[in-house]
Coordinates of all heavy atoms in Angstrom, one line a residue:
M1 N 22.3 6.4 1.9 CA 21.0 6.8 2.4 C 20.0 5.7 1.9 O 20.0 5.3 0.8 CB 20.6 8.2 1.8 CG 19.2 8.6 2.3 SD 18.9 10.4 1.8 CE 17.4 10.2 0.9
A2 N 19.1 5.4 2.8 CA 18.0 4.4 2.5 C 17.0 4.9 1.5 O 16.9 6.2 1.4 CB 17.3 4.0 3.8
E3 N 16.4 4.0 0.8 CA 15.3 4.4 -0.1 C 14.2 5.1 0.7 O 13.7 4.5 1.7 CB 14.8 3.2 -0.8 CG 13.6 3.5 -1.7 CD 12.9 2.2 -2.2 OE1 13.3 1.2 -1.8 OE2 11.9 2.4 -2.9
P4 N 13.8 6.3 0.4 CA 12.8 7.0 1.2 C 11.4 6.3 1.3 O 10.9 6.2 2.4 CB 12.5 8.3 0.4 CG 13.8 8.6 -0.3 CD 14.3 7.2 -0.7
L5 N 11.0 5.6 0.3 CA 9.7 4.9 0.3 C 9.8 3.8 1.4 O 8.9 3.5 2.1 CB 9.3 4.3 -1.0 CG 7.9 4.0 -1.3 CD1 7.0 5.1 -1.0 CD2 7.7 3.4 -2.7
G6 N 11.0 3.2 1.5 CA 11.2 2.1 2.4 C 11.2 2.5 3.9 O 11.1 1.7 4.8
Q7 N 11.4 3.8 4.1 CA 11.5 4.4 5.4 C 10.1 4.8 6.0 O 10.0 5.2 7.1 CB 12.5 5.5 5.4 CG 13.9 5.1 5.1 CD 14.4 4.1 6.1 OE1 14.6 2.9 5.7 NE2 14.6 4.4 7.3
I8 N 9.1 4.7 5.1 CA 7.8 5.1 5.6 C 7.3 4.0 6.5 O 7.3 2.8 6.2 CB 6.8 5.3 4.4 CG1 7.3 6.5 3.6 CG2 5.4 5.4 4.8 CD1 6.5 6.7 2.3
M9 N 6.7 4.4 7.7 CA 6.3 3.4 8.6 C 5.1 2.6 8.2 O 5.1 1.4 8.3 CB 6.0 4.0 10.0 CG 5.5 3.0 11.0 SD 5.4 3.8 12.7 CE 7.1 3.5 13.2
D10 N 4.1 3.2 7.6 CA 2.9 2.5 7.2 C 2.3 2.9 5.8 O 2.2 2.1 4.9 CB 1.8 2.5 8.3 CG 1.6 4.0 8.7 OD1 2.1 4.9 8.1 OD2 0.8 4.1 9.7
A11 N 2.0 4.2 5.7 CA 1.3 4.6 4.5 C 1.7 6.1 4.1 O 2.2 6.8 4.9 CB -0.2 4.5 4.7
L12 N 1.4 6.4 2.9 CA 1.6 7.7 2.3 C 0.3 8.3 2.0 O -0.5 7.8 1.2 CB 2.5 7.6 1.1 CG 2.7 8.9 0.3 CD1 3.6 9.8 1.1 CD2 3.4 8.5 -1.0
D13 N -0.1 9.5 2.6 CA -1.3 10.2 2.3 C -1.0 11.3 1.3 O -0.1 12.1 1.5 CB -2.0 10.7 3.5 CG -2.6 9.7 4.4 OD1 -2.6 8.5 4.0 OD2 -3.3 10.0 5.4
V14 N -1.9 11.5 0.4 CA -1.9 12.6 -0.6 C -3.2 13.3 -0.6 O -4.3 12.6 -0.8 CB -1.5 12.1 -2.0 CG1 -1.6 13.3 -3.0 CG2 -0.2 11.4 -2.0
E15 N -3.3 14.6 -0.5 CA -4.6 15.3 -0.5 C -4.5 16.4 -1.5 O -3.5 17.2 -1.6 CB -4.9 15.9 0.9 CG -6.2 16.5 0.9 CD -6.6 17.0 2.3 OE1 -6.3 16.2 3.3 OE2 -7.3 18.0 2.5
T16 N -5.5 16.6 -2.3 CA -5.6 17.7 -3.2 C -7.1 18.0 -3.6 O -8.0 17.3 -3.1 CB -4.8 17.3 -4.5 OG1 -4.7 18.6 -5.3 CG2 -5.5 16.3 -5.4
F17 N -7.3 19.0 -4.4 CA -8.6 19.4 -4.8 C -8.6 19.2 -6.3 O -7.9 19.8 -7.0 CB -8.9 20.8 -4.5 CG -10.3 21.2 -4.7 CD1 -11.2 21.2 -3.6 CD2 -10.8 21.7 -5.9 CE1 -12.6 21.5 -3.8 CE2 -12.1 22.1 -6.1 CZ -13.0 22.0 -5.1
F18 N -9.5 18.3 -6.8 CA -9.7 18.0 -8.2 C -10.9 18.8 -8.7 O -11.9 18.8 -8.1 CB -10.0 16.5 -8.5 CG -8.8 15.6 -8.3 CD1 -8.7 14.8 -7.2 CD2 -7.7 15.6 -9.2 CE1 -7.7 14.0 -7.0 CE2 -6.7 14.8 -9.0 CZ -6.6 13.9 -7.9
V19 N -10.7 19.5 -9.8 CA -11.9 20.1 -10.5 C -12.6 19.0 -11.2 O -12.0 18.3 -12.1 CB -11.4 21.2 -11.5 CG1 -12.6 21.7 -12.3 CG2 -10.6 22.3 -10.8
C20 N -13.8 18.7 -10.8 CA -14.6 17.6 -11.3 C -16.1 17.8 -11.0 O -16.5 18.7 -10.2 CB -14.1 16.3 -10.7 SG -14.1 16.2 -8.9
A21 N -16.9 16.9 -11.5 CA -18.4 17.0 -11.4 C -19.0 16.3 -10.2 O -20.1 16.6 -9.8 CB -19.0 16.5 -12.7
S22 N -18.2 15.4 -9.5 CA -18.8 14.6 -8.5 C -17.7 14.0 -7.6 O -16.6 14.0 -7.9 CB -19.7 13.5 -9.0 OG -18.9 12.5 -9.7
E23 N -18.2 13.5 -6.4 CA -17.2 12.8 -5.5 C -16.7 11.6 -6.2 O -15.5 11.2 -6.1 CB -17.9 12.4 -4.2 CG -18.2 13.6 -3.3 CD -18.8 13.2 -1.9 OE1 -19.0 12.0 -1.7 OE2 -19.1 14.1 -1.2
A24 N -17.5 10.9 -6.9 CA -17.1 9.6 -7.6 C -16.0 10.0 -8.6 O -15.0 9.2 -8.7 CB -18.3 9.0 -8.3
E25 N -16.1 11.1 -9.3 CA -15.1 11.4 -10.3 C -13.8 11.8 -9.6 O -12.7 11.4 -10.0 CB -15.6 12.6 -11.2 CG -14.7 12.9 -12.4 CD -15.2 14.0 -13.3 OE1 -16.2 14.7 -12.9 OE2 -14.7 14.2 -14.3
G26 N -13.9 12.5 -8.5 CA -12.7 12.9 -7.7 C -12.0 11.7 -7.2 O -10.8 11.6 -7.2
R27 N -12.8 10.7 -6.7 CA -12.3 9.5 -6.2 C -11.5 8.7 -7.3 O -10.4 8.2 -7.1 CB -13.4 8.6 -5.7 CG -13.1 7.3 -5.1 CD -14.4 6.6 -4.7 NE -15.1 7.3 -3.7 CZ -15.0 7.0 -2.4 NH1 -14.2 6.1 -2.0 NH2 -15.7 7.7 -1.5
T28 N -12.1 8.7 -8.5 CA -11.5 8.0 -9.7 C -10.2 8.7 -10.0 O -9.2 8.0 -10.3 CB -12.4 8.0 -10.8 OG1 -13.6 7.3 -10.5 CG2 -11.8 7.4 -12.1
Y29 N -10.1 10.0 -10.0 CA -8.9 10.7 -10.3 C -7.8 10.4 -9.3 O -6.6 10.2 -9.7 CB -9.1 12.2 -10.3 CG -9.8 12.8 -11.6 CD1 -10.8 13.8 -11.5 CD2 -9.4 12.4 -12.8 CE1 -11.4 14.3 -12.6 CE2 -10.0 12.9 -14.0 CZ -11.0 13.9 -13.8 OH -11.6 14.4 -14.9
M30 N -8.1 10.4 -8.0 CA -7.1 10.1 -7.0 C -6.5 8.7 -7.2 O -5.3 8.5 -7.1 CB -7.7 10.3 -5.6 CG -6.6 10.1 -4.5 SD -5.1 11.0 -4.6 CE -5.7 12.6 -3.9
L31 N -7.4 7.7 -7.3 CA -6.9 6.3 -7.4 C -6.0 6.2 -8.7 O -5.0 5.5 -8.6 CB -8.1 5.4 -7.5 CG -8.9 5.3 -6.2 CD1 -10.1 4.4 -6.4 CD2 -8.0 4.7 -5.0
A32 N -6.4 6.8 -9.8 CA -5.7 6.8 -11.0 C -4.3 7.4 -10.8 O -3.3 6.9 -11.3 CB -6.4 7.4 -12.2
L33 N -4.3 8.6 -10.1 CA -3.0 9.3 -9.9 C -2.0 8.5 -9.1 O -0.9 8.3 -9.4 CB -3.3 10.6 -9.2 CG -2.1 11.5 -8.9 CD1 -1.4 12.0 -10.1 CD2 -2.5 12.7 -8.0
L34 N -2.5 7.9 -8.0 CA -1.7 7.1 -7.1 C -1.1 5.9 -7.9 O 0.1 5.5 -7.7 CB -2.4 6.7 -5.8 CG -2.8 7.8 -4.9 CD1 -3.6 7.3 -3.8 CD2 -1.5 8.5 -4.4
K35 N -1.9 5.2 -8.7 CA -1.5 4.1 -9.4 C -0.5 4.5 -10.5 O 0.4 3.8 -10.8 CB -2.7 3.3 -10.0 CG -3.4 2.6 -8.9 CD -4.6 1.8 -9.5 CE -5.3 1.1 -8.3 NZ -6.5 0.4 -8.7
Q36 N -0.7 5.7 -11.1 CA 0.2 6.2 -12.1 C 1.6 6.4 -11.5 O 2.6 6.3 -12.2 CB -0.4 7.5 -12.7 CG 0.3 8.1 -13.8 CD -0.3 9.4 -14.3 OE1 -0.8 10.2 -13.5 NE2 -0.5 9.5 -15.6
W37 N 1.6 6.8 -10.2 CA 2.9 7.0 -9.6 C 3.6 5.6 -9.2 O 4.6 5.6 -8.5 CB 2.7 7.8 -8.3 CG 2.4 9.3 -8.6 CD1 2.5 9.9 -9.8 CD2 1.9 10.3 -7.7 NE1 2.2 11.2 -9.7 CE2 1.8 11.5 -8.4 CE3 1.6 10.2 -6.4 CZ2 1.4 12.6 -7.9 CZ3 1.2 11.4 -5.8 CH2 1.1 12.6 -6.5
G38 N 2.9 4.5 -9.5 CA 3.5 3.2 -9.2 C 3.1 2.6 -7.8 O 3.7 1.6 -7.4
L39 N 2.2 3.3 -7.2 CA 1.7 2.8 -5.9 C 0.6 1.8 -6.1 O -0.4 2.1 -6.8 CB 1.3 4.0 -5.0 CG 2.4 5.0 -4.8 CD1 1.9 6.3 -4.3 CD2 3.5 4.4 -3.8
K40 N 0.7 0.6 -5.5 CA -0.3 -0.5 -5.9 C -1.4 -0.6 -4.9 O -2.6 -0.9 -5.2 CB 0.5 -1.8 -6.0 CG 1.5 -1.7 -7.1 CD 2.3 -3.0 -7.2 CE 3.1 -2.9 -8.5 NZ 4.5 -2.9 -8.2
D41 N -1.2 -0.5 -3.6 CA -2.2 -0.7 -2.5 C -2.7 0.6 -2.1 O -2.2 1.2 -1.2 CB -1.5 -1.5 -1.3 CG -2.5 -1.9 -0.3 OD1 -3.7 -1.7 -0.5 OD2 -2.0 -2.5 0.7
V42 N -3.8 1.1 -2.8 CA -4.3 2.4 -2.6 C -5.7 2.4 -2.2 O -6.5 1.5 -2.5 CB -4.1 3.3 -3.9 CG1 -2.6 3.4 -4.2 CG2 -4.8 2.7 -5.1
D43 N -6.1 3.5 -1.6 CA -7.5 3.7 -1.1 C -7.8 5.1 -1.0 O -6.9 6.0 -0.9 CB -7.7 2.9 0.2 CG -9.1 2.5 0.4 OD1 -10.0 2.9 -0.4 OD2 -9.4 1.8 1.4
I44 N -9.1 5.4 -0.8 CA -9.6 6.8 -0.5 C -10.0 6.9 0.9 O -10.7 6.0 1.4 CB -10.8 7.2 -1.4 CG1 -10.4 7.1 -2.9 CG2 -11.3 8.6 -1.1 CD1 -9.3 8.0 -3.4
V45 N -9.5 7.9 1.6 CA -9.8 8.0 3.1 C -10.7 9.2 3.3 O -11.4 9.3 4.4 CB -8.6 8.1 4.0 CG1 -7.8 6.8 3.9 CG2 -7.7 9.2 3.6
F46 N -10.8 10.1 2.3 CA -11.7 11.2 2.5 C -12.1 11.8 1.1 O -11.2 11.9 0.3 CB -11.1 12.3 3.3 CG -11.9 13.6 3.5 CD1 -12.9 13.7 4.4 CD2 -11.6 14.7 2.7 CE1 -13.7 14.8 4.5 CE2 -12.3 15.8 2.8 CZ -13.4 15.9 3.7
V47 N -13.3 12.2 0.9 CA -13.7 12.9 -0.3 C -14.9 13.7 0.0 O -15.9 13.3 0.7 CB -14.0 11.9 -1.5 CG1 -15.1 11.0 -1.1 CG2 -14.3 12.7 -2.7
Q48 N -14.9 15.0 -0.5 CA -16.0 15.9 -0.2 C -16.1 16.8 -1.5 O -15.2 17.6 -1.8 CB -15.8 16.7 1.0 CG -17.0 17.7 1.3 CD -16.8 18.5 2.6 OE1 -15.7 18.7 3.0 NE2 -17.9 18.9 3.2
H49 N -17.3 16.7 -2.1 CA -17.5 17.6 -3.3 C -18.1 18.9 -2.9 O -19.0 18.9 -2.0 CB -18.5 16.9 -4.3 CG -18.6 17.6 -5.6 ND1 -19.6 18.5 -5.8 CD2 -17.8 17.6 -6.7 CE1 -19.4 19.1 -7.0 NE2 -18.3 18.5 -7.6
E50 N -17.5 20.0 -3.4 CA -18.0 21.3 -3.0 C -17.6 22.3 -4.1 O -16.5 22.3 -4.5 CB -17.4 21.7 -1.7 CG -18.1 23.0 -1.1 CD -17.6 23.3 0.3 OE1 -17.4 22.4 1.1 OE2 -17.5 24.5 0.6
G51 N -18.6 23.0 -4.6 CA -18.3 24.0 -5.6 C -17.8 23.3 -6.9 O -18.4 22.4 -7.4
P52 N -16.6 23.8 -7.4 CA -16.1 23.3 -8.7 C -15.5 21.9 -8.7 O -15.0 21.5 -9.7 CB -15.1 24.4 -9.1 CG -14.6 24.8 -7.8 CD -15.8 24.8 -6.8
G53 N -15.4 21.3 -7.5 CA -14.7 20.0 -7.5 C -14.8 19.3 -6.2 O -15.7 19.5 -5.4
A54 N -13.8 18.4 -6.0 CA -13.8 17.6 -4.7 C -12.5 17.6 -4.1 O -11.4 17.5 -4.8 CB -14.2 16.2 -5.1
R55 N -12.5 17.8 -2.8 CA -11.2 17.6 -2.0 C -11.1 16.1 -1.7 O -12.1 15.5 -1.2 CB -11.3 18.4 -0.7 CG -10.2 18.1 0.2 CD -9.5 19.2 0.9 NE -9.3 20.4 0.2 CZ -8.2 20.8 -0.5 NH1 -7.2 20.0 -0.6 NH2 -8.1 21.9 -1.1
V56 N -10.0 15.5 -2.0 CA -9.8 14.1 -1.9 C -8.5 13.8 -1.2 O -7.5 14.4 -1.6 CB -9.8 13.4 -3.3 CG1 -9.7 11.9 -3.2 CG2 -11.0 13.8 -4.1
R57 N -8.6 12.9 -0.3 CA -7.3 12.4 0.4 C -7.2 10.9 0.0 O -8.1 10.1 0.4 CB -7.4 12.6 1.9 CG -6.0 12.1 2.5 CD -6.1 12.3 4.1 NE -6.5 13.7 4.4 CZ -7.5 13.9 5.3 NH1 -8.0 12.9 6.0 NH2 -7.9 15.2 5.5
G58 N -6.1 10.6 -0.7 CA -5.8 9.2 -1.0 C -4.7 8.6 -0.1 O -3.9 9.4 0.4
R59 N -4.8 7.3 0.1 CA -3.7 6.7 0.9 C -3.1 5.5 0.1 O -3.8 4.7 -0.4 CB -4.3 6.2 2.2 CG -3.3 5.5 3.1 CD -3.9 5.3 4.5 NE -4.0 6.6 5.1 CZ -4.8 6.9 6.2 NH1 -5.5 5.9 6.7 NH2 -4.8 8.1 6.7
A60 N -1.8 5.5 0.1 CA -1.1 4.4 -0.5 C -0.3 3.7 0.6 O 0.5 4.2 1.3 CB 0.0 4.9 -1.5
Y61 N -0.7 2.4 0.8 CA -0.1 1.6 1.9 C 1.2 1.1 1.4 O 1.3 0.4 0.4 CB -1.0 0.5 2.3 CG -2.2 0.9 3.0 CD1 -3.4 1.2 2.3 CD2 -2.2 1.2 4.4 CE1 -4.5 1.6 2.9 CE2 -3.3 1.6 5.0 CZ -4.5 1.9 4.3 OH -5.6 2.3 4.9
V62 N 2.3 1.5 2.1 CA 3.6 0.9 1.8 C 3.8 -0.4 2.5 O 4.3 -1.3 2.0 CB 4.7 2.0 2.2 CG1 6.1 1.4 1.9 CG2 4.5 3.3 1.4
Y63 N 3.3 -0.4 3.8 CA 3.3 -1.6 4.6 C 2.0 -1.8 5.3 O 1.3 -0.8 5.7 CB 4.4 -1.5 5.7 CG 5.8 -1.4 5.2 CD1 6.5 -0.1 5.2 CD2 6.4 -2.5 4.7 CE1 7.8 0.0 4.8 CE2 7.7 -2.4 4.2 CZ 8.4 -1.2 4.2 OH 9.7 -1.0 3.8
R64 N 1.6 -3.0 5.3 CA 0.4 -3.4 6.1 C 0.9 -4.2 7.3 O 2.0 -4.6 7.4 CB -0.5 -4.4 5.2 CG -1.2 -3.7 4.1 CD -2.4 -2.9 4.5 NE -3.1 -2.5 3.3 CZ -4.3 -2.0 3.4 NH1 -5.0 -1.9 4.5 NH2 -5.0 -1.6 2.3
P65 N 0.0 -4.3 8.4 CA 0.4 -5.0 9.5 C 0.9 -6.4 9.2 O 0.3 -7.1 8.3 CB -0.9 -5.1 10.4 CG -1.6 -3.9 10.0 CD -1.3 -3.7 8.5
A66 N 2.0 -6.8 9.8 CA 2.7 -8.1 9.6 C 3.6 -8.2 8.4 O 4.2 -9.2 8.1 CB 1.7 -9.3 9.6
D67 N 3.7 -7.1 7.6 CA 4.7 -7.1 6.6 C 6.1 -7.1 7.2 O 6.3 -6.8 8.4 CB 4.5 -5.8 5.8 CG 3.5 -5.9 4.7 OD1 3.0 -7.0 4.4 OD2 3.2 -4.8 4.0
K68 N 7.1 -7.4 6.4 CA 8.5 -7.2 6.8 C 8.9 -5.8 6.5 O 9.0 -5.4 5.4 CB 9.4 -8.2 6.1 CG 9.1 -9.6 6.5 CD 10.0 -10.6 5.7 CE 9.8 -12.0 6.1 NZ 10.6 -12.9 5.4
Y69 N 9.0 -5.0 7.6 CA 9.3 -3.6 7.4 C 10.8 -3.4 7.1 O 11.7 -3.8 7.8 CB 9.0 -2.8 8.7 CG 7.5 -3.1 9.2 CD1 7.3 -3.9 10.2 CD2 6.5 -2.4 8.6 CE1 6.0 -4.1 10.6 CE2 5.2 -2.6 9.0 CZ 4.9 -3.5 10.0 OH 3.6 -3.7 10.4
Q70 N 11.0 -2.8 5.9 CA 12.4 -2.5 5.5 C 13.1 -1.6 6.5 O 14.3 -1.9 6.8 CB 12.4 -1.8 4.1 CG 13.8 -1.6 3.6 CD 13.7 -0.9 2.2 OE1 12.7 -0.8 1.6 NE2 14.8 -0.4 1.8
W71 N 12.4 -0.7 7.1 CA 13.1 0.2 8.1 C 13.4 -0.5 9.3 O 14.3 -0.1 10.1 CB 12.2 1.4 8.4 CG 10.8 1.1 8.6 CD1 9.7 1.2 7.7 CD2 10.2 0.7 9.9 NE1 8.5 0.8 8.4 CE2 8.8 0.5 9.7 CE3 10.7 0.5 11.2 CZ2 7.9 0.1 10.7 CZ3 9.8 0.1 12.2 CH2 8.5 -0.1 11.9
L72 N 12.8 -1.6 9.6 CA 13.1 -2.4 10.8 C 14.2 -3.5 10.5 O 15.1 -3.8 11.4 CB 11.9 -3.1 11.3 CG 12.0 -3.9 12.6 CD1 12.4 -3.0 13.7 CD2 10.6 -4.6 12.9
L73 N 14.2 -4.0 9.3 CA 15.1 -5.1 8.9 C 16.5 -4.5 8.4 O 17.4 -5.3 8.1 CB 14.5 -6.0 7.9 CG 13.2 -6.7 8.3 CD1 12.6 -7.4 7.1 CD2 13.5 -7.6 9.5
G74 N 16.6 -3.2 8.3 CA 17.8 -2.7 7.8 C 18.1 -2.9 6.4 O 19.3 -3.1 6.0
G75 N 17.1 -2.9 5.6 CA 17.3 -3.0 4.1 C 17.1 -4.3 3.5 O 17.4 -4.6 2.4
E76 N 16.7 -5.3 4.3 CA 16.5 -6.7 3.8 C 15.3 -6.7 2.8 O 15.0 -7.8 2.2 CB 16.3 -7.7 4.9 CG 17.6 -7.9 5.7 CD 17.4 -8.9 6.7 OE1 16.6 -9.9 6.5 OE2 18.0 -8.8 7.8
G77 N 14.5 -5.7 2.8 CA 13.3 -5.6 1.9 C 12.1 -6.1 2.5 O 12.0 -6.4 3.7
R78 N 11.0 -5.9 1.8 CA 9.7 -6.3 2.3 C 9.2 -7.6 1.8 O 9.8 -8.1 0.8 CB 8.7 -5.2 2.0 CG 8.4 -4.9 0.6 CD 7.5 -3.7 0.4 NE 6.2 -4.1 1.0 CZ 5.1 -3.6 0.5 NH1 5.1 -2.7 -0.4 NH2 3.9 -3.9 1.0
S79 N 8.2 -8.1 2.4 CA 7.7 -9.5 2.0 C 7.0 -9.4 0.7 O 6.6 -8.5 0.2 CB 6.7 -10.0 3.1 OG 5.7 -9.1 3.3

C-alpha cells in the first residue's frame, strides 16, 4: 500500500473549534497544530470567532502546482 500522505492530490484540510479569545489566537493554534503534526506548508483558509472560541480551517499543502506528484509517478517521490 502506498503512503497515504503521498496519495493526496493537493492539500489536507483540518477544521475544528478552538476555545480561545480571538480569531488571531485561533489562527495561531491551528498553525501550531499542523506544524506539530509535521506538516510544513500550512495556511489558514477560514476563521470565525463566535462565543467561546473560533472555528478554524487550516490547510496543509502536500503538493503545489508543478510539484512531482508521488501518486502520478508511482512512488518516485516528490520534488
Side-chain angles (χ1 to χ4, degrees):
M1 183 170 122
E3 177 191 359
L5 199 58
Q7 296 303 111
I8 294 174
M9 181 170 270
D10 51 6
L12 172 69
D13 283 4
V14 175
E15 182 173 324
T16 194
F17 190 92
F18 289 107
V19 176
C20 58
S22 66
E23 288 184 4
E25 188 177 11
R27 181 182 297 265
T28 299
Y29 281 137
M30 179 58 81
L31 292 174
L33 179 64
L34 293 173
K35 288 180 179 177
Q36 186 178 44
W37 288 347
L39 302 164
K40 296 178 175 113
D41 188 2
V42 298
D43 204 354
I44 301 298
V45 294
F46 175 80
V47 61
Q48 181 177 26
H49 188 267
E50 187 171 328
R55 172 135 323 263
V56 184
R57 183 178 312 131
R59 179 166 292 161
Y61 292 94
V62 178
Y63 296 107
R64 292 281 189 167
D67 275 352
K68 291 181 179 176
Y69 306 102
Q70 184 178 348
W71 46 264
L72 184 60
L73 299 173
E76 292 182 31
R78 61 184 295 209
S79 58

